[in-house]
PDB file of all heavy atoms in Angstrom:
ATOM      1  N   ILE A 306       0.625   3.307   0.032  1.00  0.00           N
ATOM      2  CA  ILE A 306       0.272   4.337   0.973  1.00  0.00           C
ATOM      3  C   ILE A 306      -0.603   3.625   2.079  1.00  0.00           C
ATOM      4  O   ILE A 306      -1.206   2.621   1.889  1.00  0.00           O
ATOM      5  CB  ILE A 306      -0.484   5.513   0.324  1.00  0.00           C
ATOM      6  CG1 ILE A 306      -1.762   5.042  -0.356  1.00  0.00           C
ATOM      7  CG2 ILE A 306       0.405   6.278  -0.590  1.00  0.00           C
ATOM      8  CD1 ILE A 306      -2.559   6.233  -0.860  1.00  0.00           C
ATOM      9  N   GLN A 312      -5.782   2.282   6.448  1.00  0.00           N
ATOM     10  CA  GLN A 312      -6.051   1.490   5.254  1.00  0.00           C
ATOM     11  C   GLN A 312      -4.818   1.430   4.459  1.00  0.00           C
ATOM     12  O   GLN A 312      -4.223   2.542   4.107  1.00  0.00           O
ATOM     13  CB  GLN A 312      -7.238   1.889   4.475  1.00  0.00           C
ATOM     14  CG  GLN A 312      -7.549   0.987   3.250  1.00  0.00           C
ATOM     15  CD  GLN A 312      -8.735   1.473   2.494  1.00  0.00           C
ATOM     16  OE1 GLN A 312      -8.954   2.674   2.299  1.00  0.00           O
ATOM     17  NE2 GLN A 312      -9.486   0.541   1.886  1.00  0.00           N
ATOM     18  N   LEU A 314      -2.739   0.610   0.899  1.00  0.00           N
ATOM     19  CA  LEU A 314      -3.033   0.572  -0.540  1.00  0.00           C
ATOM     20  C   LEU A 314      -1.823   0.353  -1.285  1.00  0.00           C
ATOM     21  O   LEU A 314      -0.702   0.844  -0.846  1.00  0.00           O
ATOM     22  CB  LEU A 314      -3.773   1.896  -0.967  1.00  0.00           C
ATOM     23  CG  LEU A 314      -5.025   2.361  -0.212  1.00  0.00           C
ATOM     24  CD1 LEU A 314      -4.722   3.332   0.804  1.00  0.00           C
ATOM     25  CD2 LEU A 314      -6.041   2.872  -1.181  1.00  0.00           C
ATOM     26  N   LEU A 315      -1.928  -0.234  -2.472  1.00  0.00           N
ATOM     27  CA  LEU A 315      -0.715  -0.374  -3.360  1.00  0.00           C
ATOM     28  C   LEU A 315      -0.970   0.295  -4.657  1.00  0.00           C
ATOM     29  O   LEU A 315      -2.059   0.409  -5.146  1.00  0.00           O
ATOM     30  CB  LEU A 315      -0.456  -1.870  -3.541  1.00  0.00           C
ATOM     31  CG  LEU A 315       0.008  -2.673  -2.370  1.00  0.00           C
ATOM     32  CD1 LEU A 315       0.006  -4.195  -2.681  1.00  0.00           C
ATOM     33  CD2 LEU A 315       1.367  -2.251  -1.880  1.00  0.00           C
ATOM     34  N   VAL A 317      -1.131   0.653  -8.647  1.00  0.00           N
ATOM     35  CA  VAL A 317      -1.549  -0.229  -9.688  1.00  0.00           C
ATOM     36  C   VAL A 317      -1.380   0.408 -11.072  1.00  0.00           C
ATOM     37  O   VAL A 317      -1.094   1.661 -11.149  1.00  0.00           O
ATOM     38  CB  VAL A 317      -3.039  -0.566  -9.618  1.00  0.00           C
ATOM     39  CG1 VAL A 317      -3.441  -1.254  -8.226  1.00  0.00           C
ATOM     40  CG2 VAL A 317      -4.026   0.626  -9.777  1.00  0.00           C
ATOM     41  N   LYS A 322      -4.542  -3.680 -12.286  1.00  0.00           N
ATOM     42  CA  LYS A 322      -5.768  -3.085 -11.801  1.00  0.00           C
ATOM     43  C   LYS A 322      -6.848  -4.180 -11.699  1.00  0.00           C
ATOM     44  O   LYS A 322      -7.643  -4.187 -10.691  1.00  0.00           O
ATOM     45  CB  LYS A 322      -6.150  -1.974 -12.728  1.00  0.00           C
ATOM     46  CG  LYS A 322      -7.417  -1.226 -12.388  1.00  0.00           C
ATOM     47  CD  LYS A 322      -7.664  -0.139 -13.380  1.00  0.00           C
ATOM     48  CE  LYS A 322      -9.055   0.472 -13.229  1.00  0.00           C
ATOM     49  NZ  LYS A 322      -9.272   1.551 -14.192  1.00  0.00           N
ATOM     50  N   PHE A 325      -6.862  -6.388  -8.539  1.00  0.00           N
ATOM     51  CA  PHE A 325      -7.296  -5.671  -7.407  1.00  0.00           C
ATOM     52  C   PHE A 325      -8.887  -5.596  -7.429  1.00  0.00           C
ATOM     53  O   PHE A 325      -9.527  -5.902  -6.464  1.00  0.00           O
ATOM     54  CB  PHE A 325      -6.736  -4.319  -7.274  1.00  0.00           C
ATOM     55  CG  PHE A 325      -5.300  -4.236  -6.726  1.00  0.00           C
ATOM     56  CD1 PHE A 325      -4.238  -4.499  -7.493  1.00  0.00           C
ATOM     57  CD2 PHE A 325      -5.121  -3.806  -5.539  1.00  0.00           C
ATOM     58  CE1 PHE A 325      -2.952  -4.498  -7.031  1.00  0.00           C
ATOM     59  CE2 PHE A 325      -3.814  -3.763  -4.944  1.00  0.00           C
ATOM     60  CZ  PHE A 325      -2.756  -4.095  -5.758  1.00  0.00           C
ATOM     61  N   GLU A 326      -9.425  -5.210  -8.614  1.00  0.00           N
ATOM     62  CA  GLU A 326     -10.835  -5.049  -8.794  1.00  0.00           C
ATOM     63  C   GLU A 326     -11.520  -6.417  -8.519  1.00  0.00           C
ATOM     64  O   GLU A 326     -12.652  -6.448  -7.937  1.00  0.00           O
ATOM     65  CB  GLU A 326     -11.192  -4.351 -10.018  1.00  0.00           C
ATOM     66  CG  GLU A 326     -10.742  -2.963 -10.018  1.00  0.00           C
ATOM     67  CD  GLU A 326     -11.005  -2.265 -11.478  1.00  0.00           C
ATOM     68  OE1 GLU A 326     -11.081  -2.977 -12.430  1.00  0.00           O
ATOM     69  OE2 GLU A 326     -11.153  -1.016 -11.470  1.00  0.00           O
ATOM     70  N   GLY A 329     -12.227  -7.109  -5.013  1.00  0.00           N
ATOM     71  CA  GLY A 329     -13.091  -6.102  -4.302  1.00  0.00           C
ATOM     72  C   GLY A 329     -12.370  -4.882  -3.803  1.00  0.00           C
ATOM     73  O   GLY A 329     -12.944  -4.172  -2.946  1.00  0.00           O
ATOM     74  N   ALA A 330     -11.150  -4.679  -4.347  1.00  0.00           N
ATOM     75  CA  ALA A 330     -10.381  -3.475  -3.845  1.00  0.00           C
ATOM     76  C   ALA A 330     -10.998  -2.174  -4.390  1.00  0.00           C
ATOM     77  O   ALA A 330     -11.686  -2.243  -5.388  1.00  0.00           O
ATOM     78  CB  ALA A 330      -8.920  -3.484  -4.329  1.00  0.00           C
ATOM     79  N   THR A 331     -10.795  -1.143  -3.610  1.00  0.00           N
ATOM     80  CA  THR A 331     -11.304   0.151  -4.063  1.00  0.00           C
ATOM     81  C   THR A 331     -10.234   1.190  -4.326  1.00  0.00           C
ATOM     82  O   THR A 331      -9.155   1.087  -3.723  1.00  0.00           O
ATOM     83  CB  THR A 331     -12.249   0.761  -2.986  1.00  0.00           C
ATOM     84  OG1 THR A 331     -11.583   0.870  -1.769  1.00  0.00           O
ATOM     85  CG2 THR A 331     -13.530  -0.123  -2.766  1.00  0.00           C
ATOM     86  N   LYS A 332     -10.478   2.097  -5.265  1.00  0.00           N
ATOM     87  CA  LYS A 332      -9.553   3.103  -5.610  1.00  0.00           C
ATOM     88  C   LYS A 332      -9.505   4.190  -4.605  1.00  0.00           C
ATOM     89  O   LYS A 332     -10.451   4.606  -4.075  1.00  0.00           O
ATOM     90  CB  LYS A 332      -9.885   3.669  -7.052  1.00  0.00           C
ATOM     91  CG  LYS A 332      -8.804   4.504  -7.597  1.00  0.00           C
ATOM     92  CD  LYS A 332      -9.210   4.904  -9.089  1.00  0.00           C
ATOM     93  CE  LYS A 332      -8.049   5.472  -9.744  1.00  0.00           C
ATOM     94  NZ  LYS A 332      -8.214   6.885 -10.052  1.00  0.00           N
ATOM     95  N   HIS A 333      -8.292   4.748  -4.495  1.00  0.00           N
ATOM     96  CA  HIS A 333      -8.115   5.875  -3.572  1.00  0.00           C
ATOM     97  C   HIS A 333      -8.172   7.145  -4.405  1.00  0.00           C
ATOM     98  O   HIS A 333      -7.160   7.514  -5.000  1.00  0.00           O
ATOM     99  CB  HIS A 333      -6.690   5.704  -2.922  1.00  0.00           C
ATOM    100  CG  HIS A 333      -6.419   6.869  -1.846  1.00  0.00           C
ATOM    101  ND1 HIS A 333      -5.985   8.027  -2.206  1.00  0.00           N
ATOM    102  CD2 HIS A 333      -6.516   6.816  -0.492  1.00  0.00           C
ATOM    103  CE1 HIS A 333      -5.833   8.834  -1.169  1.00  0.00           C
ATOM    104  NE2 HIS A 333      -6.113   8.056  -0.094  1.00  0.00           N
ATOM    105  N   SER A 334      -9.258   7.862  -4.255  1.00  0.00           N
ATOM    106  CA  SER A 334      -9.626   9.098  -4.967  1.00  0.00           C
ATOM    107  C   SER A 334      -8.995   9.071  -6.380  1.00  0.00           C
ATOM    108  O   SER A 334      -9.216   8.134  -7.142  1.00  0.00           O
ATOM    109  CB  SER A 334      -9.035  10.329  -4.231  1.00  0.00           C
ATOM    110  OG  SER A 334      -7.564  10.319  -4.166  1.00  0.00           O
ATOM    111  N   ARG A 335      -8.169  10.050  -6.789  1.00  0.00           N
ATOM    112  CA  ARG A 335      -7.707  10.082  -8.186  1.00  0.00           C
ATOM    113  C   ARG A 335      -6.264   9.489  -8.321  1.00  0.00           C
ATOM    114  O   ARG A 335      -5.769   9.565  -9.433  1.00  0.00           O
ATOM    115  CB  ARG A 335      -7.732  11.521  -8.682  1.00  0.00           C
ATOM    116  CG  ARG A 335      -9.143  12.058  -8.857  1.00  0.00           C
ATOM    117  CD  ARG A 335      -9.111  13.478  -9.251  1.00  0.00           C
ATOM    118  NE  ARG A 335      -8.860  14.237  -8.002  1.00  0.00           N
ATOM    119  CZ  ARG A 335      -8.931  15.583  -7.960  1.00  0.00           C
ATOM    120  NH1 ARG A 335      -9.153  16.302  -9.000  1.00  0.00           N
ATOM    121  NH2 ARG A 335      -8.752  16.174  -6.804  1.00  0.00           N
ATOM    122  N   MET A 336      -5.725   8.985  -7.328  1.00  0.00           N
ATOM    123  CA  MET A 336      -4.337   8.434  -7.355  1.00  0.00           C
ATOM    124  C   MET A 336      -4.430   7.039  -7.812  1.00  0.00           C
ATOM    125  O   MET A 336      -5.441   6.271  -7.627  1.00  0.00           O
ATOM    126  CB  MET A 336      -3.722   8.655  -6.025  1.00  0.00           C
ATOM    127  CG  MET A 336      -3.575  10.089  -5.642  1.00  0.00           C
ATOM    128  SD  MET A 336      -2.637  10.503  -4.158  1.00  0.00           S
ATOM    129  CE  MET A 336      -2.807   9.082  -3.083  1.00  0.00           C
ATOM    130  N   PRO A 337      -3.287   6.513  -8.435  1.00  0.00           N
ATOM    131  CA  PRO A 337      -3.311   5.116  -8.937  1.00  0.00           C
ATOM    132  C   PRO A 337      -2.950   4.156  -7.804  1.00  0.00           C
ATOM    133  O   PRO A 337      -2.151   3.235  -7.965  1.00  0.00           O
ATOM    134  CB  PRO A 337      -2.216   5.197  -9.963  1.00  0.00           C
ATOM    135  CG  PRO A 337      -1.200   6.186  -9.394  1.00  0.00           C
ATOM    136  CD  PRO A 337      -2.131   7.191  -8.739  1.00  0.00           C
ATOM    137  N   TYR A 338      -3.688   4.172  -6.694  1.00  0.00           N
ATOM    138  CA  TYR A 338      -3.539   3.239  -5.575  1.00  0.00           C
ATOM    139  C   TYR A 338      -4.941   2.604  -5.274  1.00  0.00           C
ATOM    140  O   TYR A 338      -5.948   3.237  -5.306  1.00  0.00           O
ATOM    141  CB  TYR A 338      -3.016   4.010  -4.433  1.00  0.00           C
ATOM    142  CG  TYR A 338      -1.610   4.506  -4.589  1.00  0.00           C
ATOM    143  CD1 TYR A 338      -1.419   5.801  -5.065  1.00  0.00           C
ATOM    144  CD2 TYR A 338      -0.576   3.679  -4.264  1.00  0.00           C
ATOM    145  CE1 TYR A 338      -0.131   6.279  -5.258  1.00  0.00           C
ATOM    146  CE2 TYR A 338       0.789   4.225  -4.476  1.00  0.00           C
ATOM    147  CZ  TYR A 338       0.961   5.507  -4.887  1.00  0.00           C
ATOM    148  OH  TYR A 338       2.209   5.961  -5.095  1.00  0.00           O
ATOM    149  N   TYR A 339      -4.894   1.277  -5.043  1.00  0.00           N
ATOM    150  CA  TYR A 339      -6.004   0.574  -4.672  1.00  0.00           C
ATOM    151  C   TYR A 339      -5.854  -0.069  -3.315  1.00  0.00           C
ATOM    152  O   TYR A 339      -4.794  -0.505  -2.951  1.00  0.00           O
ATOM    153  CB  TYR A 339      -6.349  -0.563  -5.664  1.00  0.00           C
ATOM    154  CG  TYR A 339      -7.189  -0.123  -6.805  1.00  0.00           C
ATOM    155  CD1 TYR A 339      -6.577   0.739  -7.885  1.00  0.00           C
ATOM    156  CD2 TYR A 339      -8.491  -0.431  -7.008  1.00  0.00           C
ATOM    157  CE1 TYR A 339      -7.378   1.144  -8.903  1.00  0.00           C
ATOM    158  CE2 TYR A 339      -9.213  -0.067  -8.144  1.00  0.00           C
ATOM    159  CZ  TYR A 339      -8.756   0.780  -9.086  1.00  0.00           C
ATOM    160  OH  TYR A 339      -9.431   1.161 -10.114  1.00  0.00           O
ATOM    161  N   SER A 340      -6.897  -0.234  -2.577  1.00  0.00           N
ATOM    162  CA  SER A 340      -6.853  -0.898  -1.221  1.00  0.00           C
ATOM    163  C   SER A 340      -6.376  -2.270  -1.441  1.00  0.00           C
ATOM    164  O   SER A 340      -6.617  -2.929  -2.445  1.00  0.00           O
ATOM    165  CB  SER A 340      -8.289  -0.915  -0.581  1.00  0.00           C
ATOM    166  OG  SER A 340      -9.122  -1.576  -1.363  1.00  0.00           O
TER     167      SER A 340
END
Side-chain angles (χ1 to χ4, degrees):
I306 58 176
Q312 181 180 36
L314 304 99
L315 292 173
V317 302
K322 182 178 169 182
F325 281 78
E326 290 176 340
T331 56
K332 188 172 192 248
H333 184 278
S334 66
R335 291 176 279 186
M336 298 188 328
Y338 294 88
Y339 274 71
S340 61

